[in-house]
Amino acid sequence: MELTHSDVKAAAERVTGQVRPVAVAEADSTGELWFALEFLQHTGSFKARGALNFLLTHRENGTPPPVGVTIASGGNAGLACAWAARNQGIPATVFLPTTAPRVKVDRLTSYGAEVRLVGSQYADALAASREFANDTGALLSHAYDNPLIAAGAGTLMTEVHERIPDLGTVVVAVGGGGLFSGVATAADHSGIRTIAVEPARCRALHAAITSGRVVDVEVDSIAADSLGARRASEMALAAARRYEVESVLVEDAAIVAARRRLWEERRIAVEHGAATALAAILGDEPAFRRATGERVCVVLCGANTDPSDLAG
């Protein structure tokens, strides 16, 4: 399964005017480091783009079934699916692992979704959503392993490129690879390289690149609620190979420090998954070293978090 820039372009035509255009901000006085503030998106993460593209495409191709749409999610994809489904007047049933943060469960309910908690990991919820779709005929969506979802996510990069002149590199966190696939595809089209960042203990894409094929990995990170895919998509591996993406890993301590630094220095409260991307460029021995004079944009992709641990 290979994503193309034509897929991203078509997604942009569908969702423009229905999603919030990404805001960007200079992160230092040199104009070399930028943040893409995608946590300001509807539902608090980039996922709204892919969910909307998915449902709008299915609307174009035929009305979804009366039972509606179903998805498994660590939280953010479910929020986006529920939001897009509500906007389209479609029922949504969302399966989450029991480890999903309460803040995400409560927001799902507020969007009118039926929430079902199953198992301790994303893979458990995914199996349950597939069974539900088979039993009821519901339209099965996916948190990341679908070209429509990834293409929608890629529209973020198209907007970033329009807003930051002479951008050289984009730094993005990776879970299962939907955001990464879309961003890398759009970035390469514009001559921008992509740095893929994962927690050291949620390294699905890194392991796939190293092994030459998608493989199952252990999931044990503070960022697992949003980056906790057990395996990356074939689409993500294909994008990493095709665009010669640099894959780097960061430790949980660095993720926690990056998240706290965003709060203490800028009063930006993001989830650990979003802080993962920033963690790659911080510290005395960063996982990714920026070239002098190069413009780099870090995607802050979501903020569905409980900020109480940032107080003090």
Side-chain angles (χ1 to χ4, degrees):
M1 186 187 301
E2 193 168 284
L3 193 69
T4 69
H5 184 257
S6 295
D7 297 321
V8 178
K9 184 178 179 181
E13 291 172 355
R14 287 190 194 96
V15 306
T16 296
Q18 299 191 60
V19 297
R20 292 172 180 154
V22 68
V24 299
E26 290 188 51
D28 63 16
S29 60
T30 68
E32 294 176 8
L33 181 61
W34 293 71
F35 291 151
L37 309 179
E38 184 63 2
F39 60 86
L40 299 174
Q41 186 56 256
H42 292 294
T43 76
S45 87
F46 73 94
K47 295 281 190 179
R49 296 173 180 270
L52 189 59
N53 187 48
F54 177 83
L55 287 182
L56 287 174
T57 303
H58 280 279
R59 279 284 199 199
E60 292 171 8
N61 297 335
T63 303
V67 70
V69 63
T70 186
I71 191 171
S73 169
N76 284 341
L79 286 169
C81 182
W83 168 79
R86 184 186 66 178
N87 285 3
Q88 298 294 312
I90 299 169
T93 303
V94 182
F95 290 81
L96 277 74
T98 56
T99 53
R102 187 71 219 176
V103 63
K104 294 184 180 180
V105 175
D106 292 343
R107 288 195 67 193
L108 275 168
T109 303
S110 76
Y111 287 136
E114 180 179 346
V115 179
R116 301 190 184 186
L117 302 177
V118 179
S120 61
Q121 294 188 351
Y122 168 75
D124 302 318
L126 178 60
S129 71
R130 286 172 173 166
E131 183 178 0
F132 178 80
N134 288 335
D135 290 346
T136 66
L139 175 63
L140 180 63
S141 186
H142 197 281
Y144 58 87
D145 194 7
N146 182 289
L148 295 173
I149 297 293
T155 63
L156 160 68
M157 188 62 228
T158 300
E159 295 175 11
V160 168
H161 177 241
E162 292 171 351
R163 288 161 175 73
I164 305 177
D166 303 319
L167 181 64
T169 296
V170 60
V171 182
V172 62
V174 184
L179 174 63
F180 161 75
S181 298
V183 164
T185 299
D188 183 79
H189 180 78
S190 300
I192 299 166
R193 68 170 173 163
T194 301
I195 306 300
V197 191
E198 294 172 280
R201 292 182 291 178
C202 281
R203 57 171 73 195
L205 179 62
H206 193 85
I209 293 170
T210 302
S211 302
R213 59 187 178 86
V214 295
V215 294
D216 286 345
V217 297
E218 260 189 67
V219 173
D220 181 23
S221 168
I222 197 165
D225 65 305
S226 56
L227 304 182
R230 190 175 291 172
R231 64 166 50 196
S233 67
E234 294 280 1
M235 182 172 49
L237 177 57
R241 286 170 163 170
R242 182 176 183 181
Y243 306 126
E244 299 180 351
V245 168
E246 182 178 346
S247 170
V248 302
L249 302 175
V250 293
E251 297 294 338
D252 276 12
I255 296 170
V256 171
R259 181 171 175 263
R260 179 161 289 279
R261 184 164 167 179
L262 278 170
W263 174 250
E264 291 178 345
E265 296 182 1
R266 306 173 190 278
R267 282 302 186 258
I268 293 175
V270 298
E271 57 195 76
H272 289 101
T276 297
L278 180 60
I281 67 170
L282 298 181
D284 295 333
E285 295 293 333
F288 165 65
R289 288 189 178 277
R290 295 180 281 151
T292 302
E294 179 184 28
R295 284 194 170 180
V296 175
C297 180
V298 176
V299 178
L300 300 180
C301 58
N304 289 310
T305 186
D306 181 352
S308 62
D309 58 347
L310 292 170

Coordinates of all heavy atoms in Angstrom, one line a residue, residues 219-299:
V219 N 5.2 -2.7 23.7 CA 4.7 -1.3 23.9 C 4.7 -1.0 25.4 O 3.9 -1.6 26.2 CB 3.2 -1.2 23.4 CG1 2.6 0.1 23.7 CG2 3.2 -1.5 21.9
D220 N 5.6 -0.1 25.8 CA 5.8 0.2 27.2 C 6.4 1.6 27.4 O 7.6 1.7 27.7 CB 6.7 -0.9 27.9 CG 6.9 -0.6 29.4 OD1 6.0 0.0 30.0 OD2 7.9 -1.1 29.9
S221 N 5.6 2.6 27.1 CA 6.1 3.9 27.1 C 5.1 4.9 27.8 O 3.9 4.6 27.7 CB 6.5 4.4 25.7 OG 6.7 5.8 25.7
I222 N 5.6 6.0 28.3 CA 4.7 7.0 28.8 C 3.8 7.6 27.7 O 2.7 8.1 28.0 CB 5.5 8.1 29.6 CG1 4.6 8.9 30.5 CG2 6.2 9.0 28.6 CD1 5.3 9.7 31.5
A223 N 4.2 7.5 26.5 CA 3.5 8.0 25.4 C 2.7 6.9 24.7 O 2.1 7.2 23.6 CB 4.4 8.6 24.4
A224 N 2.5 5.8 25.3 CA 1.8 4.7 24.6 C 0.3 4.9 24.4 O -0.3 4.3 23.5 CB 2.0 3.4 25.5
D225 N -0.3 5.9 25.1 CA -1.7 6.1 24.9 C -2.0 6.6 23.5 O -3.1 6.5 22.9 CB -2.3 7.0 26.0 CG -1.7 8.4 25.9 OD1 -0.5 8.5 26.0 OD2 -2.5 9.4 25.8
S226 N -1.0 7.3 22.9 CA -1.2 7.8 21.5 C -0.2 7.2 20.5 O -0.5 7.2 19.3 CB -1.1 9.3 21.5 OG 0.1 9.8 22.0
L227 N 1.0 6.7 21.0 CA 2.0 6.2 20.1 C 2.2 4.7 20.3 O 3.2 4.1 19.9 CB 3.3 6.9 20.3 CG 3.3 8.4 20.1 CD1 4.7 9.0 20.3 CD2 2.8 8.8 18.8
G228 N 1.2 4.0 20.9 CA 1.4 2.6 21.3 C 1.0 1.6 20.4 O 0.5 0.5 20.8
A229 N 1.2 1.8 19.1 CA 0.9 0.7 18.1 C 1.9 -0.4 18.2 O 3.1 -0.2 18.4 CB 0.9 1.3 16.7
R230 N 1.4 -1.6 18.2 CA 2.2 -2.8 18.3 C 3.1 -3.0 17.0 O 4.2 -3.6 17.1 CB 1.4 -4.1 18.6 CG 2.2 -5.3 19.0 CD 1.3 -6.4 19.4 NE 0.6 -6.1 20.6 CZ -0.3 -6.9 21.1 NH1 -0.7 -8.0 20.5 NH2 -0.9 -6.6 22.3
R231 N 2.5 -2.6 15.9 CA 3.3 -2.7 14.7 C 2.9 -1.5 13.8 O 1.8 -1.0 13.8 CB 3.0 -4.0 13.9 CG 1.6 -4.2 13.4 CD 1.6 -5.4 12.4 NE 2.2 -6.6 12.9 CZ 2.6 -7.6 12.1 NH1 2.3 -7.6 10.8 NH2 3.2 -8.7 12.6
A232 N 3.9 -1.1 13.0 CA 3.7 0.0 12.0 C 2.9 -0.5 10.8 O 2.9 -1.7 10.5 CB 5.0 0.6 11.6
S233 N 2.3 0.4 10.0 CA 1.7 0.0 8.8 C 2.7 -0.3 7.7 O 3.8 0.2 7.7 CB 0.7 1.0 8.4 OG 1.4 2.2 8.0
E234 N 2.3 -1.1 6.8 CA 3.1 -1.4 5.6 C 3.3 0.0 4.8 O 4.3 0.2 4.2 CB 2.4 -2.4 4.6 CG 2.3 -3.8 5.2 CD 3.6 -4.6 5.1 OE1 4.6 -4.0 4.5 OE2 3.6 -5.7 5.5
M235 N 2.3 0.8 4.8 CA 2.3 2.1 4.2 C 3.4 3.0 4.8 O 4.1 3.7 4.1 CB 0.9 2.8 4.4 CG 0.8 4.1 3.7 SD -1.0 4.6 3.8 CE -1.4 4.4 5.5
A236 N 3.5 2.9 6.1 CA 4.6 3.7 6.8 C 5.9 3.2 6.5 O 6.9 4.0 6.2 CB 4.3 3.7 8.3
L237 N 6.1 1.9 6.4 CA 7.4 1.4 6.1 C 7.8 1.7 4.6 O 8.9 2.1 4.4 CB 7.4 -0.2 6.3 CG 8.7 -0.9 5.8 CD1 9.9 -0.3 6.6 CD2 8.6 -2.4 6.1
A238 N 6.8 1.7 3.8 CA 7.1 2.0 2.3 C 7.5 3.5 2.2 O 8.4 3.8 1.5 CB 5.8 1.8 1.5
A239 N 6.8 4.4 3.0 CA 7.2 5.8 3.0 C 8.6 6.0 3.5 O 9.3 6.8 3.0 CB 6.1 6.6 3.8
A240 N 8.9 5.3 4.6 CA 10.2 5.5 5.2 C 11.3 5.1 4.2 O 12.4 5.8 4.1 CB 10.3 4.7 6.5
R241 N 11.1 4.0 3.5 CA 12.1 3.6 2.5 C 12.1 4.5 1.3 O 13.2 4.9 0.9 CB 11.7 2.2 2.0 CG 12.0 1.1 3.0 CD 11.3 -0.2 2.5 NE 11.9 -1.4 3.2 CZ 11.3 -2.6 3.1 NH1 10.2 -2.8 2.3 NH2 11.9 -3.6 3.7
R242 N 11.0 4.9 0.8 CA 10.9 5.6 -0.4 C 11.5 7.0 -0.3 O 12.2 7.5 -1.2 CB 9.4 5.8 -0.9 CG 9.3 6.5 -2.2 CD 7.8 6.5 -2.6 NE 7.6 7.2 -3.9 CZ 6.4 7.4 -4.5 NH1 5.3 6.9 -3.9 NH2 6.3 8.0 -5.6
Y243 N 11.3 7.6 0.9 CA 11.8 9.0 1.1 C 13.0 9.1 2.0 O 13.4 10.1 2.4 CB 10.6 9.8 1.8 CG 9.4 9.8 1.0 CD1 8.2 9.4 1.6 CD2 9.4 10.0 -0.4 CE1 7.0 9.3 0.8 CE2 8.2 10.0 -1.1 CZ 7.0 9.6 -0.5 OH 5.8 9.5 -1.3
E244 N 13.7 7.9 2.2 CA 14.9 7.8 2.9 C 14.8 8.6 4.3 O 15.7 9.5 4.6 CB 16.1 8.3 2.1 CG 16.3 7.5 0.8 CD 17.4 8.0 -0.1 OE1 18.0 9.1 0.2 OE2 17.8 7.3 -1.0
V245 N 13.8 8.3 5.0 CA 13.5 9.0 6.3 C 14.5 8.6 7.3 O 14.9 7.4 7.4 CB 12.1 8.7 6.7 CG1 11.8 9.1 8.1 CG2 11.1 9.3 5.8
E246 N 14.9 9.5 8.2 CA 15.8 9.2 9.3 C 14.9 8.9 10.5 O 14.0 9.7 10.9 CB 16.7 10.4 9.6 CG 17.6 10.1 10.8 CD 18.6 11.3 11.1 OE1 18.7 12.2 10.3 OE2 19.2 11.3 12.2
S247 N 15.1 7.7 11.1 CA 14.3 7.3 12.2 C 15.1 7.4 13.5 O 16.2 6.8 13.6 CB 13.8 5.8 12.0 OG 13.2 5.3 13.2
V248 N 14.6 8.1 14.5 CA 15.3 8.2 15.8 C 14.5 7.8 16.9 O 13.2 7.9 16.9 CB 15.9 9.7 16.0 CG1 16.8 10.1 14.8 CG2 14.7 10.7 16.1
L249 N 15.1 7.5 18.0 CA 14.4 7.0 19.3 C 14.7 8.0 20.4 O 15.9 8.5 20.5 CB 14.8 5.6 19.6 CG 14.6 4.5 18.6 CD1 15.1 3.2 19.0 CD2 13.1 4.4 18.3
V250 N 13.8 8.2 21.3 CA 14.0 9.0 22.5 C 13.5 8.2 23.7 O 12.5 7.5 23.6 CB 13.3 10.4 22.4 CG1 13.9 11.2 21.3 CG2 11.8 10.2 22.1
E251 N 14.1 8.5 24.8 CA 13.7 7.8 26.1 C 12.6 8.5 26.7 O 12.3 9.7 26.5 CB 14.9 7.8 27.1 CG 16.1 7.0 26.6 CD 15.8 5.5 26.5 OE1 14.9 5.0 27.1 OE2 16.5 4.8 25.7
D252 N 11.8 7.8 27.6 CA 10.7 8.4 28.2 C 11.1 9.6 29.1 O 10.3 10.6 29.1 CB 10.0 7.4 29.2 CG 9.0 6.5 28.4 OD1 9.0 6.5 27.2 OD2 8.3 5.8 29.1
A253 N 12.3 9.6 29.7 CA 12.7 10.7 30.5 C 12.8 12.0 29.7 O 12.5 13.1 30.1 CB 14.0 10.4 31.2
A254 N 13.3 11.8 28.4 CA 13.4 13.0 27.5 C 12.1 13.5 27.1 O 11.9 14.7 26.9 CB 14.2 12.6 26.3
I255 N 11.1 12.6 26.9 CA 9.7 13.0 26.5 C 9.1 13.8 27.7 O 8.5 14.9 27.4 CB 8.9 11.7 26.2 CG1 9.5 11.0 25.0 CG2 7.4 12.1 26.0 CD1 8.8 9.6 24.7
V256 N 9.2 13.3 28.9 CA 8.7 14.0 30.0 C 9.3 15.4 30.2 O 8.6 16.4 30.4 CB 8.9 13.2 31.3 CG1 8.6 14.0 32.6 CG2 8.1 11.9 31.3
A257 N 10.6 15.5 30.0 CA 11.3 16.8 30.1 C 10.9 17.7 29.0 O 10.7 18.9 29.2 CB 12.8 16.5 30.0
A258 N 10.7 17.2 27.8 CA 10.2 18.1 26.7 C 8.8 18.6 26.9 O 8.6 19.8 26.7 CB 10.3 17.3 25.3
R259 N 8.0 17.8 27.4 CA 6.6 18.2 27.7 C 6.6 19.3 28.8 O 5.9 20.3 28.7 CB 5.8 17.0 28.1 CG 4.3 17.3 28.5 CD 3.6 16.0 28.7 NE 2.2 16.2 29.1 CZ 1.8 16.2 30.3 NH1 2.6 15.9 31.3 NH2 0.5 16.4 30.6
R260 N 7.4 19.0 29.8 CA 7.4 20.0 30.9 C 8.1 21.3 30.4 O 7.6 22.4 30.8 CB 8.2 19.5 32.1 CG 8.4 20.4 33.3 CD 8.7 19.7 34.6 NE 7.6 18.9 35.1 CZ 6.6 19.4 35.7 NH1 6.5 20.7 36.0 NH2 5.6 18.7 36.2
R261 N 9.1 21.2 29.6 CA 9.7 22.4 29.1 C 8.7 23.3 28.3 O 8.7 24.5 28.4 CB 10.9 22.1 28.2 CG 11.7 23.2 27.7 CD 13.1 22.8 27.3 NE 13.8 23.8 26.5 CZ 15.0 23.7 26.0 NH1 15.7 22.5 26.2 NH2 15.5 24.7 25.3
L262 N 7.9 22.6 27.5 CA 6.9 23.4 26.7 C 6.0 24.1 27.6 O 5.6 25.3 27.4 CB 6.1 22.4 25.8 CG 6.7 22.0 24.5 CD1 5.9 20.9 23.9 CD2 6.8 23.2 23.5
W263 N 5.6 23.5 28.7 CA 4.7 24.1 29.7 C 5.4 25.3 30.4 O 4.9 26.4 30.5 CB 4.2 23.1 30.7 CG 3.4 23.7 31.8 CD1 3.7 23.8 33.1 CD2 2.1 24.4 31.6 NE1 2.7 24.5 33.8 CE2 1.7 24.8 32.9 CE3 1.2 24.6 30.6 CZ2 0.5 25.5 33.1 CZ3 0.0 25.3 30.8 CH2 -0.3 25.7 32.1
E264 N 6.6 25.0 31.0 CA 7.3 26.0 31.8 C 7.7 27.2 31.0 O 7.7 28.3 31.5 CB 8.5 25.3 32.5 CG 8.0 24.3 33.5 CD 9.2 23.7 34.2 OE1 10.3 23.8 33.7 OE2 9.0 23.0 35.3
E265 N 8.1 27.0 29.8 CA 8.7 28.1 29.0 C 7.6 28.8 28.1 O 7.8 30.0 27.7 CB 9.8 27.6 28.1 CG 11.0 27.1 28.9 CD 12.2 26.7 28.0 OE1 12.1 26.8 26.8 OE2 13.2 26.2 28.6
R266 N 6.6 28.1 27.7 CA 5.6 28.6 26.7 C 4.2 28.5 27.1 O 3.3 28.9 26.4 CB 5.8 27.9 25.4 CG 7.3 28.0 24.9 CD 7.5 27.2 23.6 NE 8.9 27.1 23.3 CZ 9.6 28.0 22.7 NH1 9.0 29.1 22.3 NH2 10.9 27.9 22.5
R267 N 3.9 27.8 28.3 CA 2.6 27.5 28.7 C 1.8 26.8 27.6 O 0.6 27.0 27.4 CB 1.8 28.8 29.1 CG 2.3 29.3 30.5 CD 2.0 28.2 31.6 NE 2.2 28.6 32.9 CZ 3.3 28.3 33.7 NH1 4.3 27.6 33.1 NH2 3.4 28.7 34.9
I268 N 2.4 25.8 27.0 CA 1.8 24.9 26.1 C 1.7 23.5 26.7 O 2.7 23.0 27.1 CB 2.6 24.8 24.8 CG1 2.6 26.1 24.0 CG2 2.1 23.7 23.9 CD1 3.5 26.1 22.8
A269 N 0.5 23.0 26.9 CA 0.3 21.7 27.5 C -0.1 20.7 26.4 O -1.2 20.8 25.9 CB -0.8 21.8 28.6
V270 N 0.8 19.8 26.1 CA 0.6 18.8 25.1 C 0.6 17.4 25.8 O 1.1 17.3 26.9 CB 1.6 18.9 23.9 CG1 1.5 20.2 23.2 CG2 3.0 18.6 24.4
E271 N 0.1 16.4 25.0 CA 0.3 15.1 25.5 C 1.7 14.5 25.2 O 2.5 15.1 24.5 CB -0.8 14.2 24.8 CG -0.7 14.1 23.3 CD -2.0 13.5 22.8 OE1 -3.1 14.2 22.8 OE2 -1.9 12.4 22.3
H272 N 2.0 13.4 25.9 CA 3.4 12.9 25.8 C 3.7 12.5 24.3 O 4.9 12.7 23.9 CB 3.6 11.7 26.7 CG 3.6 12.1 28.1 ND1 2.5 11.9 29.0 CD2 4.6 12.6 28.9 CE1 2.8 12.3 30.2 NE2 4.1 12.8 30.2
G273 N 2.8 12.1 23.5 CA 3.0 11.8 22.2 C 3.5 13.0 21.4 O 4.4 12.9 20.5
A274 N 2.9 14.1 21.6 CA 3.3 15.3 20.9 C 4.7 15.8 21.4 O 5.5 16.2 20.6 CB 2.3 16.5 21.1
A275 N 5.0 15.7 22.7 CA 6.3 16.0 23.2 C 7.4 15.1 22.7 O 8.6 15.5 22.7 CB 6.3 16.0 24.7
T276 N 7.0 13.9 22.2 CA 8.0 13.0 21.7 C 8.8 13.6 20.5 O 10.1 13.5 20.4 CB 7.4 11.7 21.3 OG1 6.8 11.1 22.4 CG2 8.3 10.7 20.6
A277 N 8.1 14.3 19.7 CA 8.8 14.9 18.5 C 9.8 16.0 19.0 O 11.0 16.0 18.5 CB 7.8 15.6 17.6
L278 N 9.4 16.8 19.9 CA 10.3 17.8 20.4 C 11.5 17.2 21.2 O 12.6 17.8 21.1 CB 9.6 18.8 21.4 CG 10.4 19.9 22.0 CD1 11.0 20.8 20.9 CD2 9.5 20.8 22.9
A279 N 11.3 16.1 21.9 CA 12.4 15.5 22.7 C 13.6 15.1 21.8 O 14.7 15.1 22.3 CB 11.8 14.3 23.3
A280 N 13.3 14.9 20.5 CA 14.4 14.5 19.6 C 15.4 15.6 19.4 O 16.6 15.3 19.0 CB 13.8 14.1 18.3
I281 N 15.1 16.8 19.6 CA 16.1 17.9 19.3 C 16.6 18.6 20.6 O 17.4 19.5 20.5 CB 15.4 19.0 18.4 CG1 14.3 19.7 19.1 CG2 15.0 18.3 17.1 CD1 13.8 20.9 18.3
L282 N 16.2 18.2 21.7 CA 16.6 18.8 23.0 C 17.7 18.0 23.7 O 18.0 16.8 23.3 CB 15.4 18.9 23.9 CG 14.2 19.8 23.5 CD1 13.1 19.8 24.6 CD2 14.7 21.2 23.1
G283 N 18.3 18.6 24.6 CA 19.3 17.9 25.4 C 20.7 18.1 24.9 O 21.0 18.6 23.8
D284 N 21.7 17.7 25.7 CA 23.1 17.8 25.3 C 23.5 16.8 24.2 O 24.4 17.1 23.4 CB 24.0 17.5 26.5 CG 23.9 18.6 27.6 OD1 23.5 19.7 27.3 OD2 24.1 18.2 28.8
E285 N 22.8 15.7 24.1 CA 23.1 14.7 23.1 C 21.7 14.4 22.4 O 21.2 13.3 22.6 CB 23.7 13.4 23.6 CG 25.1 13.6 24.2 CD 26.1 14.0 23.2 OE1 25.9 13.6 22.0 OE2 27.1 14.6 23.5
P286 N 21.2 15.3 21.6 CA 19.9 15.1 20.9 C 19.9 14.0 20.0 O 20.9 13.7 19.3 CB 19.6 16.5 20.2 CG 21.0 17.0 20.0 CD 21.8 16.6 21.1
A287 N 18.8 13.3 19.8 CA 18.6 12.2 18.9 C 18.8 12.7 17.4 O 19.3 11.9 16.6 CB 17.3 11.5 19.1
F288 N 18.4 13.9 17.2 CA 18.6 14.5 15.9 C 19.2 15.9 16.0 O 18.7 16.8 16.7 CB 17.2 14.7 15.2 CG 17.2 15.6 14.0 CD1 18.0 15.3 12.9 CD2 16.6 16.8 14.0 CE1 18.0 16.1 11.8 CE2 16.6 17.7 12.9 CZ 17.3 17.3 11.8
R289 N 20.3 16.1 15.3 CA 21.0 17.4 15.4 C 20.7 18.2 14.2 O 20.8 17.8 13.0 CB 22.5 17.1 15.4 CG 23.0 16.6 16.8 CD 24.6 16.6 16.8 NE 25.0 16.1 18.1 CZ 25.2 16.8 19.2 NH1 24.8 18.1 19.2 NH2 25.6 16.3 20.3
R290 N 20.2 19.4 14.5 CA 19.8 20.3 13.4 C 21.1 20.9 12.8 O 22.0 21.2 13.5 CB 18.9 21.5 13.9 CG 17.6 21.0 14.5 CD 16.8 22.2 15.0 NE 17.3 22.7 16.3 CZ 17.2 23.9 16.8 NH1 16.8 24.9 16.0 NH2 17.6 24.2 18.0
A291 N 21.0 21.1 11.5 CA 22.1 21.7 10.8 C 22.1 23.2 11.0 O 21.0 23.8 11.1 CB 22.1 21.4 9.3
T292 N 23.2 23.9 11.1 CA 23.2 25.3 11.4 C 22.6 26.0 10.2 O 22.9 25.8 9.0 CB 24.7 25.8 11.5 OG1 25.3 25.1 12.6 CG2 24.7 27.3 11.8
G293 N 21.7 26.9 10.5 CA 21.0 27.7 9.5 C 19.8 27.0 8.8 O 19.1 27.7 8.1
E294 N 19.6 25.8 9.2 CA 18.4 25.0 8.6 C 17.1 25.4 9.3 O 17.1 25.4 10.5 CB 18.7 23.5 8.6 CG 17.6 22.7 8.0 CD 17.8 21.2 8.2 OE1 18.5 20.8 9.2 OE2 17.3 20.4 7.4
R295 N 16.1 25.5 8.6 CA 14.8 25.7 9.2 C 14.1 24.4 9.4 O 14.0 23.6 8.5 CB 13.9 26.6 8.3 CG 14.2 28.1 8.3 CD 13.2 28.9 7.7 NE 13.5 30.3 8.0 CZ 12.7 31.4 7.6 NH1 11.6 31.1 6.9 NH2 13.1 32.6 7.9
V296 N 13.7 24.2 10.7 CA 13.2 22.9 11.1 C 11.8 23.2 11.8 O 11.7 24.1 12.6 CB 14.1 22.2 12.1 CG1 13.5 21.0 12.7 CG2 15.4 21.9 11.5
C297 N 10.8 22.4 11.5 CA 9.5 22.5 12.1 C 9.2 21.2 12.9 O 9.3 20.1 12.3 CB 8.4 22.7 11.1 SG 6.8 22.9 11.8
V298 N 8.9 21.4 14.1 CA 8.5 20.3 15.0 C 6.9 20.3 15.1 O 6.3 21.3 15.4 CB 9.0 20.4 16.4 CG1 8.5 19.3 17.3 CG2 10.6 20.4 16.4
V299 N 6.3 19.1 14.7 CA 4.9 19.0 14.8 C 4.4 18.7 16.2 O 4.8 17.6 16.7 CB 4.4 18.0 13.8 CG1 2.8 17.8 13.9 CG2 4.8 18.3 12.4

